[in-house]
Amino acid sequence: MDMVESKAGAIACMMLSLFFLGTFPALLTLVERRGRLPQHTYLDYSITNFLAAVIIALTLGEIGKRSQDSPNFIQQLSQDNLPSVMFAMAGGVALSIGNLLAQYAWAFVGLSVTKVISCSIVVVIGTTVNYFLDDKINKAEILFPGVACFLVAAFLGSVVHSSNMADNKVKLKSSSADSEQSMETKISLILNMVEPTNLESAAYSSRKAKAGTADFLVQLENRRSIKVFGKSTLIGLCLTLFSGISISLFSPLFNLATNDQWHTLKEGVPHLTVYTAFFYLSASCFFIGVILNVVLFYRPMLNLPKTSFKEYLNDWNGRGWALLAGVLCGFGNGLEFMGGQAAGYAASASVQALPLVSTFWGIVLFGEYHRSSRKTYMLLVSTLVMFTVAVGALMASSGHRHRHRHQARTATF
């Protein structure tokens, strides 16, 4: 079957993956801010995410001449490759749990900060493990300075969040156009993080506030499904930490599934192709996502209202965006793995620079960092520059994987 082999083709796959994986979180955040329950959204997302893997497997996974040593997707489903299948499915479990936690974290600390911190964790852990699994095919003198840049970017991301929160307090205290009662109400709502009353909700929802203002924050709280007032941002940071750790495991597990570095397959059994391994990973990701979200229907997190399968089926608020998010994530992950198989999975971690894309959408769609201080803007720019340097370093470290004895026929593109 046809596989990406050239370094240029691998980098092209990673760049396209970077855009897809940076855009889908913005769509999920958009739906949550419009009031749709995250349980409903993630279930829709899980369905199309899995369908994307099926499409890739039945198209790219079936193209090319079949043989015993280079089987296509359908052939591999019946082969004795259970150890590799289990690695791929374990990666799907880790990815599903990580993405689920990230969906809740976005509400607390914002799309930009969540992706900066979680992606940096993914790079530090995942890239280091993959470097040794891939028999050091990547250039260490370039790779690890790039990893260090991700660490610096993670630190700067947390500082950006603190600076932005301080800016919000200044905005409230310096607002002279509001009445004293209105000012006290907003300080109570934002600084002390208490829930607004119905009367206050009606007052703020009667007019559309400008992005970055105190009124904007209150209106957002009234409209969104995950209520963050009255809750510590530490919850969001903890969710982000556990999300990053969980997601960092799926790429090394996928690497083991496709390259069998631990020699778990029997002699003569071909390695799983990228397309077959991605199918199994997405299948387990889908089933875990469905199970967890059905449980969350009746035992929701963070004081969200209970729901039911009937309510889910009747909820069309933002469903199209949620389905599109799943498609983008599915094809984004597939492209990442195609590039990683050719150039090394340590280099494919460059797609974790997706905060470059997510921050753009956060500013354009959600008004993040509007009316912030010069200090915050400088920190934000520094963070994005550090990410740019990091992604360049990881792509420059790309090596070339030697073809395995049972690896499928490759095509250069």
Side-chain angles (χ1 to χ4, degrees):
M1 70 186 61
D2 293 334
M3 301 279 286
V4 177
E5 183 182 29
S6 69
K7 183 175 179 178
I11 291 177
C13 286
M14 289 186 275
M15 290 299 293
L16 192 57
S17 174
L18 173 61
F19 175 75
F20 286 173
L21 295 179
T23 299
F24 93 86
L27 298 180
L28 296 182
T29 302
L30 176 65
V31 175
E32 185 274 324
R33 290 190 172 205
R34 290 183 174 181
R36 193 170 197 241
L37 290 176
Q39 304 99 303
H40 295 179
T41 299
Y42 198 82
L43 200 53
D44 285 335
Y45 153 86
S46 298
I47 293 171
T48 50
N49 183 56
F50 177 54
L51 287 177
V54 173
I55 292 172
I56 290 174
L58 293 178
T59 53
L60 297 178
E62 285 292 302
I63 296 174
K65 184 185 295 185
R66 305 182 185 189
S67 69
Q68 184 176 357
D69 291 338
S70 59
N72 288 345
F73 167 67
I74 298 299
Q75 287 180 305
Q76 287 211 302
L77 294 180
S78 60
Q79 291 180 338
D80 186 13
N81 47 29
L82 182 61
S84 293
V85 170
M86 296 304 295
F87 280 128
M89 296 187 75
V93 172
L95 181 61
S96 183
I97 294 174
N99 282 338
L100 181 63
L101 292 174
Q103 185 181 209
Y104 289 88
W106 295 329
F108 284 91
V109 295
L111 179 62
S112 303
V113 173
T114 300
K115 300 313 295 181
V116 165
I117 296 176
S118 64
C119 289
S120 298
I121 295 172
V122 171
V123 168
V124 172
I125 298 177
T127 297
T128 302
V129 175
N130 278 323
Y131 173 74
F132 291 102
L133 285 177
D134 284 337
D135 198 24
K136 304 178 182 180
I137 66 174
N138 298 95
K139 302 170 185 175
E141 65 275 12
I142 301 177
L143 178 68
F144 288 106
V147 173
C149 289
F150 271 102
L151 275 175
V152 175
F155 171 75
L156 289 174
S158 62
V159 176
V160 168
H161 176 63
S162 299
S163 179
N164 197 46
M165 290 298 292
D167 290 343
N168 287 340
K169 295 180 182 181
V170 172
K171 293 172 191 174
L172 292 168
K173 293 179 180 178
S174 62
S175 178
S176 58
D178 298 312
S179 66
E180 182 178 349
Q181 181 179 1
S182 178
M183 176 59 63
E184 291 176 354
T185 297
K186 284 186 286 186
I187 291 177
S188 175
L189 289 171
I190 308 297
L191 296 185
N192 298 324
M193 304 298 273
V194 298
E195 296 186 10
T197 64
N198 292 334
L199 181 61
E200 290 158 351
S201 298
Y204 287 115
S205 61
S206 63
R207 62 187 186 279
K208 185 175 181 180
K210 294 182 179 179
T213 64
D215 287 350
F216 175 81
L217 297 175
V218 174
Q219 288 185 4
L220 173 61
E221 177 71 6
N222 293 335
R223 186 173 61 249
R224 74 188 317 162
S225 60
I226 302 176
K227 305 301 182 183
V228 298
F229 286 2
K231 300 181 179 70
S232 171
T233 55
L234 181 61
I235 296 175
L237 292 174
C238 289
L239 290 172
T240 301
L241 174 64
F242 288 117
S243 171
I245 293 174
S246 183
I247 295 175
S248 69
L249 300 177
F250 92 97
S251 180
L253 288 168
F254 190 89
N255 194 351
L256 286 168
T258 55
N259 295 298
D260 191 36
Q261 291 93 335
W262 292 352
H263 307 291
T264 57
L265 293 176
K266 295 179 180 179
E267 182 68 25
V269 177
H271 295 173
L272 288 185
T273 66
V274 171
Y275 311 117
T276 306
F278 183 48
F279 169 79
Y280 282 118
L281 179 144
S282 299
S284 66
C285 189
F286 170 71
F287 286 114
I288 291 297
V290 170
I291 293 171
L292 291 178
N293 276 280
V294 170
V295 170
L296 291 173
F297 276 8
Y298 306 99
R299 295 182 178 274
M301 295 171 57
L302 305 173
N303 298 321
L304 286 167
K306 292 183 179 180
T307 184
S308 66
F309 195 72
K310 181 179 179 180
E311 291 180 42
Y312 160 72
L313 293 176
N314 293 327
D315 182 9
W316 289 90
N317 175 28
R319 170 160 285 164
W321 293 117
L323 294 173
L324 178 59
V327 172
L328 292 176
C329 183
F331 281 102
N333 283 329
L335 288 166
E336 177 187 355
F337 294 139
M338 290 164 62
Q341 186 66 14
Y345 286 100
S348 72
S350 60
V351 303
Q352 295 303 325
L354 55 90
L356 293 170
V357 181
S358 296
T359 298
F360 170 78
W361 291 123
I363 293 172
V364 172
L365 294 179
F366 311 128
E368 291 185 0
Y369 306 111
H370 280 216
R371 302 172 185 266
S372 293
S373 65
R374 179 179 297 181
K375 174 185 175 182
T376 299
Y377 287 138
M378 291 179 64
L379 287 169
L380 180 61
V381 170
S382 299
T383 302
L384 297 180
V385 168
M386 195 59 64
F387 262 107
T388 304
V389 173
V391 69
L394 264 63
M395 286 188 175
S397 74
S398 300
H400 186 272
R401 189 186 303 278
H402 296 292
R403 288 164 47 171
H404 298 294
R405 180 177 55 182
H406 299 294
Q407 187 170 315
R409 178 179 64 85
T410 57
T412 301
F413 63 94

